[in-house]
Amino acid sequence: MVMALYSVPVLILKEGTQRTAGRDALRANIMAARALAEVLKTSLGPRGLDKMLVDSFGDITVTNDGATIVKEMEVQHPAAKLLVEVAKAQDAEVGDGTTSAVVFAGALLEKAEELLEQNIHPTTIIEGYTKAMKEAIRILEEIAIKVDPMDRGMMRKIVDTAIASKYIGKGAIGEKLANMAIDAALTVAEKRPDGTYNFKIDDVKIEKKKGGSTADTQLVYGIVLDKEVVHPGMPKRVENAKIALIDAPLEVEKPEITAKININSPDLIKSFLDEESKLLKEMVDKIAGTGANVVICQKGIDEVAQHFLAKKGILAVRRVKRSDMEKLEKATGGKIVSSIRDLKPEDLGYAELVEERRVGNDKMVFIEGCKNPKAVTILVRGANDMVLDEVERSLKDALNVLRNIMRVPKILPGGGAPEVELALRLREFAAKIGGKEQLAIEAFATALEEIPMILAETAGQDPLEVLMKLRQLHSEGKISAGIDVINGKVVEDMTKINVVEPLIVKTNIIKSATEAATTILKIDDIISATPLKKEEKEKGRGAGVGPGGKFGGF
């Protein structure tokens, strides 16, 4: 970039740096974001189609989950990356509605582009979009239906809607998975003093094991460890298990300083080894003395210690992940102990059964029959990795919507009903605002109608015809009128056909999509540094320079 100042050229940016400014920068960003939204459009709703993604290693992912698609796509354009972040944030916050968020953000940008061509300033559009977003959230709160979050029937409707778009969400398998997710949520949810429920998704462990069919997936009221019993002489089944959870190695500690031992007779070797065995035996005696008959260890277990544990008839598992140890603490009611010396009988957890079983080609340890398990495991089975991953994503979606309804026990009708209602009311709101902002609010309303139109399209209907019919029903005061995508028809009350979704998901979609669209509209200059050459990259790594040079590469 060269600026002529008093006829003297001034070089500001590094040679080779690219700069796009003004409307060109805006159009380039909008085009990139819309292109990403266009990819996701066909995946929306129960009739949405799947995408096959092949990464640089040749690994294949087949899914219609918005967050997974954008993560696996390896998007390069910086503006499109903003939409990827929207999908990730939506997934992290509410775990559902990722496709809708990206598609809606794309629609907002498409309508904004039309306004820009009418010479409306980006700031005016941003103001209008922000006002429309606030009003939309207020309307959603007003039309939401309050429900009992622990009503199993209501939970089932919400889960069915959430997993209807997944290919395993239909038929007997979908029914089984939905019931499993509900049982898991009801088991681990804890009531708060204010009457709401606290449900942490981390308390439901999803363990995948290839082999068998999806119908073999089971819910275990306890924890399943992808480990095997450490010693062949140990029992493989322990009933009425008293479980010691140890976060310390059952090994002789090595000195922190480097030490040498000079041995000049065979007796000294023997006494040295005997002393090691004695220390390990004392550790095992201490554990056995508390009444423990199962040991779950986060660190290693020495072979000699394994032998002593086997002689005492104690089942032991080693190198268990910290996250699994914490789940075991919740499930068995035990306490993780960092020093064997501190282990007391009251620190032990309880389970009716601890057993090593063969699952597929591997052995796994099942800890089940806990008295009040506040952590459970869903053991997913399937013919291949693609099926396993898709079942896991479906279960996570189901668990997320259950958590959402416990956090905010309010629902909305599905099938595009809230979007059409919002569009209708926002147009009335726009008329009161007036000025150029009115055009932005109307554009926001039109963008909202993109969702029901896509749903109609995936159901094989004429989108415009469906939209006109929905507008008519909503103008008659039928708030819950939407599209029954499965049967391809317009329904006057979506709640009657059990298509409902949590309020928190819808408000989050509107917030995150609007914020992404306004962020992109604020950008009027793109300055991208030249990618570093290979030699410079190597040099820069040593000096701590990032791969994008001075400005960070695009």
Side-chain angles (χ1 to χ4, degrees):
M1 175 181 158
V2 178
M3 288 186 75
L5 190 68
Y6 303 113
S7 308
V8 181
V10 180
L11 196 68
I12 294 176
L13 297 174
K14 205 171 157 188
E15 195 186 340
T17 300
Q18 288 183 325
R19 182 182 181 210
T20 318
R23 290 289 160 99
D24 290 341
L26 252 176
R27 282 197 185 94
N29 285 340
I30 289 172
M31 205 182 291
R34 279 180 58 193
L36 183 64
E38 207 68 38
V39 170
L40 261 69
K41 253 185 192 181
T42 53
S43 295
L44 190 69
R47 290 266 188 236
L49 303 171
D50 289 359
K51 309 286 177 210
M52 181 184 275
L53 303 149
V54 186
D55 67 13
S56 46
F57 297 105
D59 293 333
I60 299 165
T61 306
V62 176
T63 184
N64 68 357
D65 181 72
T68 309
I69 294 167
V70 294
K71 276 179 203 165
E72 297 288 335
M73 267 171 71
E74 294 177 14
V75 173
Q76 282 302 307
H77 195 282
K81 275 184 181 174
L82 282 171
L83 286 201
V84 173
E85 290 308 313
V86 166
K88 285 181 182 174
Q90 178 78 11
D91 198 38
E93 189 63 28
V94 290
D96 195 22
T98 47
T99 311
S100 301
V102 175
V103 168
F104 181 45
L108 285 173
L109 289 167
E110 186 185 334
K111 304 303 166 202
E113 195 171 19
E114 291 168 14
L115 295 176
L116 288 168
E117 279 167 14
Q118 294 171 34
N119 281 329
I120 293 171
H121 198 274
T123 310
T124 309
I125 300 171
I126 291 165
E127 280 291 314
Y129 276 6
T130 308
K131 280 182 182 170
M133 176 190 79
K134 287 175 181 169
E135 180 64 10
I137 289 163
R138 189 197 66 73
I139 296 165
L140 285 175
E141 287 281 352
E142 190 186 299
I143 63 172
I145 307 156
K146 204 164 173 33
V147 294
D148 172 11
M150 301 309 271
D151 172 10
R152 198 185 172 93
M154 181 52 64
M155 284 179 157
R156 186 62 202 276
K157 289 176 192 176
I158 292 160
V159 171
D160 283 350
T161 307
I163 65 170
S165 58
K166 307 285 183 270
Y167 75 87
I168 55 96
K170 300 157 187 80
I173 302 289
E175 205 171 302
K176 185 177 179 178
L177 290 175
N179 284 326
M180 233 175 248
I182 293 165
D183 289 338
L186 288 171
T187 305
V188 302
E190 292 172 355
K191 195 169 185 177
R192 289 197 187 108
D194 63 355
T196 59
Y197 289 84
N198 183 28
F199 167 39
K200 291 180 189 153
I201 291 173
D202 286 349
D203 293 341
V204 180
K205 184 186 181 193
I206 297 175
E207 189 70 66
K208 298 179 290 185
K209 193 53 78 174
K210 202 155 58 174
S213 77
T214 317
D216 299 328
T217 299
Q218 64 183 102
L219 172 64
V220 177
Y221 290 96
I223 301 296
V224 178
L225 299 173
D226 195 2
K227 299 278 174 190
E228 51 186 275
V229 175
V230 292
H231 192 278
M234 287 177 178
K236 299 289 184 282
R237 179 186 169 96
V238 174
E239 290 182 13
N240 293 326
K242 288 173 183 163
I243 305 161
L245 303 171
I246 300 169
D247 172 21
L250 265 73
E251 293 167 343
V252 176
E253 285 183 48
K254 305 282 183 286
E256 283 187 19
I257 50 164
T258 308
K260 281 186 181 179
I261 300 167
N262 291 322
I263 293 172
N264 46 29
S265 83
D267 293 341
L268 280 171
I269 294 177
K270 188 174 182 307
S271 63
F272 184 74
L273 294 172
D274 286 349
E275 190 60 34
E276 265 199 355
S277 296
K278 188 182 159 205
L279 284 168
L280 292 166
K281 190 171 187 305
E282 280 171 11
M283 282 185 193
V284 172
D285 287 346
K286 168 71 180 154
I287 292 165
T290 61
N293 52 12
V294 173
V295 170
I296 311 285
C297 186
Q298 195 179 324
K299 309 275 172 53
I301 302 176
D302 191 282
E303 285 178 12
V304 178
Q306 290 176 27
H307 164 72
F308 287 132
L309 286 165
K311 276 178 80 175
K312 297 264 185 194
I314 295 172
L315 182 154
V317 182
R318 66 176 167 182
R319 306 209 184 281
V320 174
K321 287 188 293 194
R322 180 74 196 181
S323 58
D324 285 350
M325 292 293 284
E326 285 165 3
K327 288 185 183 76
L328 277 164
E329 197 174 31
K330 285 184 175 178
T332 64
K335 187 179 165 195
I336 298 170
V337 175
S338 298
S339 167
I340 292 160
R341 282 193 292 273
D342 298 338
L343 188 66
K344 298 188 284 293
E346 54 268 31
D347 296 332
L348 302 180
Y350 174 81
E352 281 174 20
L353 179 66
V354 175
E355 185 180 20
E356 180 187 86
R357 293 178 203 158
R358 186 170 283 283
V359 180
N361 296 324
D362 302 316
K363 289 175 183 170
M364 299 180 94
V365 174
F366 286 70
I367 298 150
E368 57 188 1
C370 306
K371 279 177 186 165
N372 183 22
K374 286 297 161 198
V376 295
T377 306
I378 298 175
L379 178 61
V380 178
R381 306 300 308 282
N384 55 47
D385 289 330
M386 271 189 290
V387 171
L388 288 174
D389 291 343
E390 192 64 5
V391 172
E392 183 186 21
R393 281 191 284 270
S394 303
L395 283 168
K396 281 192 172 160
D397 273 5
L399 293 168
N400 271 304
V401 292
L402 290 168
R403 179 194 62 177
N404 294 336
I405 206 70
M406 287 183 195
R407 273 163 68 187
V408 181
K410 289 181 179 179
I411 59 160
L412 292 165
E419 284 84 358
V420 179
E421 184 64 25
L422 284 176
L424 182 78
R425 297 210 195 177
L426 283 173
R427 286 194 179 98
E428 291 168 6
F429 174 68
K432 290 176 196 164
I433 296 291
K436 286 184 179 177
E437 281 179 15
Q438 175 181 350
L439 296 172
I441 296 166
E442 283 172 358
F444 191 98
T446 311
L448 276 165
E449 289 176 335
E450 194 76 16
I451 303 283
M453 282 178 84
I454 295 165
L455 289 174
E457 209 171 312
T458 57
Q461 301 294 299
D462 179 341
L464 272 173
E465 199 180 300
V466 168
L467 183 61
M468 291 306 138
K469 199 167 180 188
L470 283 173
R471 278 182 181 174
Q472 184 199 332
L473 288 168
H474 279 263
S475 62
E476 289 168 9
K478 288 168 181 158
I479 293 173
S480 301
I483 309 155
D484 175 3
V485 183
I486 304 296
N487 299 311
K489 59 183 182 183
V490 171
V491 176
E492 287 190 7
D493 190 352
M494 294 304 289
T495 57
K496 282 188 179 160
I497 59 163
N498 299 336
V499 178
V500 290
E501 48 194 329
L503 167 71
I504 192 172
V505 173
K506 198 61 78 184
T507 53
N508 224 71
I509 288 169
I510 288 169
K511 276 182 195 168
S512 53
T514 310
E515 281 164 13
T518 52
T519 304
I520 289 170
L521 288 170
K522 272 182 187 169
I523 300 164
D524 80 329
D525 217 328
I526 306 168
I527 303 165
S528 49
T530 45
L532 289 178
K533 290 179 187 144
K534 201 176 175 187
E535 312 86 74
E536 285 177 314
K537 243 183 213 176
E538 297 303 316
K539 213 163 129 189
R541 275 194 193 128
V545 176
K550 199 172 177 184
F551 291 100
F554 292 151

